[in-house]
Amino acid sequence: MKVIGISAYFHDSSAALVVDGEVVAAAQEERFSRIKHDSGLPVQAVKFCLDYSGLSIDDIDHIVFYEKPLQRFERLLVTHLSEFPKGSAQFVSSMGRWLSRRLWMKNEWMKQLGCRADQILCSEHHLSHAAAAFLSSPYHSAAIVTADGVGEWATTSIYRGITDEAGSRIEKLKELVFPHSIGLLYATITSYLGFEVNEGEYKVMGLAAYGTPRYLAEMEQLCTVHDDASLVMNMDYFCYHWHPTRAFTPALERLLGPARNPGAKLTLPAKTEDDRRYSDIAASLQKFTETYMLKLVEHAHKITGETNLTLAGGVALNCVANLKLLKEGPFKSIYVQSAAGDAGGALGAALYMTHVIGGIPRQPRETHAFLGASVDKGEVVRFFSDCGVPYKQFDNTTELCDAVVDRLLEGEVGAWVQGRFEHGPRALGARSIIADPRRSDMRERVNRKIKFREEFRPFAPACLTEEFNKWFILPDNRVEYMTPFMCCVAEVSEDGKRMLPATTHVDDTARVQRVEPSHNPLFHRLLTRFKERSGVGVLLNTSLNLKDEPICNSHGEAFATFMRSEMDFLVVENCLVTKVDCQRLSREGYRD
Amino acid sequence: MVVMDEAFSLFVRFVAPFVWRSETKTIKKFLSFSATEAGSALDMLKAAELEKDPRRRRLFFRHALDEARHSNYFRDQAKNMDPDFTGREGKYNLIHATRQNLYQNLCLTEFMAFVYIAEKRGESHFRSLMGHFKDRAAIHDMFARIVKDEQFHVRYSKRLLDEWSQEGRASEVKAAQRKILLNRAWGAWRRQGRRLGDLTSRLVLKIAYFIVVPPFSLMQYCLQRNPPSGWREAEQTTLNAEEIRRMY
């Protein structure tokens, strides 16, 4: 059975191809279109999946959309009826979109993808999240908790997933519905703090570490949490359900003080009263979210009786909250899939059709995230040769790793482009910027001169599995499923704090990636060589992109990013390019 | 086309005193030029990545580097002119650019025709601005450097088109140039049409909102029970083969 899953029309459009239960390819549209969080139909991502597998669209049995469009439309209509006449502006913009395009989704797909109407199916938003989490997890049975902004109606759901002799099943147990949503609370405060929704949530998480949660009472005023982990938003403070551009009302500013201007400078540790207030609000929101998520998973544990938990939805990407669940939660093991947000919905829709409805047997096992497009070695060499870019080609990977380690030890920062790119928002060693984490100045340098982003944002360490417990602390050493995808922070050990200043956040945690040789052998070898030379099997690892741009896909995009920033070197497959050699190129320009 | 370029050049010279009337406007304009040039650099780099012919690939790559350098010239010029520069360095560090995927969306002949026409227009535009800024040495020199590069881009693209014409593809080259010129006009027409269509549909929807929605809203208000909150037990726990076919 060949199934394509598609998520689209909201943010992070994506496509995934599953053939007889194997995930063959999965990619976000933004990697091809170069539009950050691209929300369009993922035509190029679908084309990539088909090209990669050598299939045509006619060979595909089913194309599954990750949600029920008419249920989402119903929510919009009902909300507009109940909010009349406040929501006229949002009505005009959203109805314009729906009437011109989304209601005729099947026609657009047939035209753009060349598929037939009978191939198109529609899953449910939270069910797709749940399927992505459970069906790609290593568990035979698990509780599944999904929490995001909103799907059709649901904002938070609890499922139970089972794989046994009878097949795989995912049963919905209960759900919270719009407008009561922990994801929308987080998004609203993100917007209040001057960051972009669906993009700035990571920044709020980073900012939270600088503050103290002195606004918890105010958070409780915004949102009441009951003993059964249900929550009710106080809608006096929110207008995301009817306002086209604003998520909060003036009442929120009366409660928390004036909102931060998106362009305003934020200095941390806070020097002004306003900056202190913003970081304290972020800390309070984070604390509130952590407490709520803990309550939620405790409730899920109570009603399912399961010992394993899989998490999905945008809130599952809150890696700080995930640590709390691991430390204080009732579950023995927790799994978060690499693309836990909407991009993963495509994968979930395809997996649900394959295993649950299609009945294809499932083998629970740990999966990897390297499902995107790769770079052709020969093409890279031809590109550099034809363009006159000075490069050095290495015959074996040990020499390549040694040359890279030499440069890292000298304090250089470089791009590392190898194999297929990652599915999901994190760079895991296929499209990464790497640096020596032992240098205390490295964080500021990479933030300011290379990524051009806010100085307070932390960097993640990539760590050899065998070294994990030396530098990081997780309760009962429960590292096995949480960390390959950078979905959980860990406390940094005393040695770690001393040796890894560039990747240790201000609250002494790090969003660590555990590197397995079976997932990414070359990156593992690089870390091993770095350990042999420096005594530390850890590298600073951040995504290969500049601020507000998608992560690079091809060698040309990697080269463009390299030239536009102050990176010192670029490694693409077995070729090494240095900035010193390239500076001549950019200075001279073209002459006859 | 020569006549059109001359007319465009005259137009630029005519409106320049208005467009470049203040330092603030000039800084803004330079930043927008910087973004455009950076976008062109990304497009040319993608062309270099996808093109298989080594000679053309090298030309595209060099063209990309030129455009990237021009983007930096404009950015640095804006930075130098900004009296409040200290404390907001971030504004000038990274110029955001958008790629138009021209190489992927056009065939090679059309792509070269596009490069030729766009660069010719650019060269003429910047030459006019060079004249406008003749009393400001730094800006004048910057435009002079850019014009020199643009002249090369015009030359190499023309040479490629000429070579293809001599190889017996003259009608194809002419058709490509015509298509690009028409596309520009058609694109402008469509943009205006879209704007007008958007405006009309907004107006219609606004009217519909205040005429159609109120009775239903009133009905809902009368029938309304407490809005849903708290856990909702799942009425249906799974989605079967029939249900997954539905859009609702």
Side-chain angles (χ1 to χ4, degrees), chain A residues 32 34 64 68-71 78 81-82 84-89 91-92 95-96 99 106 118 121-124 127 156 158 170-177 180 228-230 232 265 296 299 352-353 357 379 382-383 386-389 448 452 546-549 554-557 559-560 564 585-587 589-592, chain B residues 38 42 45-46 48-55 57-59 61-63 65-66 69 73 87 89 93-99 101 104 145 148-149 152-153 155 159 201-203 205-206 208-210 213-214 216-218 220 224 227-241 243-248:
Chain A
F32 303 97
R34 308 303 301 154
V64 192
K68 297 274 190 205
L70 294 185
Q71 284 186 19
V78 170
L81 292 183
S82 56
F84 183 86
K86 284 188 291 191
S88 70
F91 178 86
V92 168
M95 285 304 130
L99 295 175
K106 281 193 176 182
D118 65 308
L121 310 172
C122 297
S123 173
E124 286 175 359
L127 180 63
T156 308
I158 299 175
I170 294 178
E171 295 161 1
K172 181 158 67 178
L173 303 176
K174 45 170 70 175
E175 63 186 11
L176 293 174
V177 296
H180 309 293
D228 64 354
S230 63
V232 180
K265 197 170 166 65
L296 179 62
H299 185 65
Y352 186 82
M353 183 64 214
I357 296 183
E379 185 50 39
R382 275 193 297 279
F383 175 76
D386 290 348
C387 295
V389 177
R448 276 173 63 91
F452 303 106
L546 307 182
K547 185 173 182 267
D548 300 333
E549 291 184 2
S554 66
H555 51 287
E557 286 156 17
F559 185 78
R564 291 168 68 206
L585 284 174
S586 53
R587 266 200 310 272
Y590 194 94
R591 297 292 170 264
D592 261 318
Chain B
L42 292 181
L45 193 67
K46 193 69 191 172
E49 184 191 312
L50 298 175
E51 175 59 48
K52 299 291 173 208
D53 177 73
R55 178 184 166 220
R57 178 176 254 183
R58 195 178 175 91
L59 285 164
F61 181 75
R62 292 293 180 158
H63 189 154
L65 291 179
D66 283 350
R69 206 175 50 254
Y73 288 161
E89 192 180 354
N93 272 344
L94 179 66
I95 298 294
H96 276 290
T98 320
R99 199 172 71 194
N101 294 326
Q104 297 98 304
R145 283 198 300 273
K148 202 171 165 191
D149 288 336
F152 175 72
H153 302 155
R155 272 206 309 280
R159 194 190 312 147
S201 64
R202 281 177 177 276
L203 191 70
L205 282 167
K206 198 85 166 180
Y209 182 76
F210 287 105
V213 176
F216 294 102
S217 178
L218 190 68
Q220 199 208 22
Q224 197 173 32
S229 69
W231 288 112
R232 204 163 73 171
E233 298 293 328
E235 292 162 12
Q236 183 190 353
T237 56
T238 56
L239 201 63
N240 62 33
E243 286 147 0
I244 203 167
R245 297 205 164 273
R246 295 187 205 137
M247 288 176 78
Y248 53 91

Side-chain angles (χ1 to χ4, degrees), chain B residues 75-83:
Chain B
R75 179 199 62 188
D76 294 346
Q77 193 60 51
K79 189 158 77 173
N80 292 340
M81 290 169 68
D82 185 353

Side-chain angles (χ1 to χ4, degrees), chain B residues 6-7 14 17 20 36 43 63 67 83 113 122 126 128 160 175 179 190 235:
Chain B
E6 282 305 314
F14 179 71
W20 304 85
T36 308
D43 260 294
H63 189 154
E67 300 287 10
F126 292 143
S128 304
L160 284 174
K179 186 178 168 187
R190 282 183 59 175
E235 292 162 12

Side-chain angles (χ1 to χ4, degrees), chain A residues 211-237:
Chain A
T212 46
R214 63 184 168 105
Y215 288 93
L216 269 178
E218 284 81 355
M219 291 296 148
E220 282 158 13
Q221 216 170 315
L222 297 178
C223 180
T224 309
V225 177
H226 297 295
D227 289 341
D228 64 354
S230 63
L231 62 83
V232 180
M233 313 279 282
N234 184 342
M235 297 313 289
D236 293 342
Y237 296 101

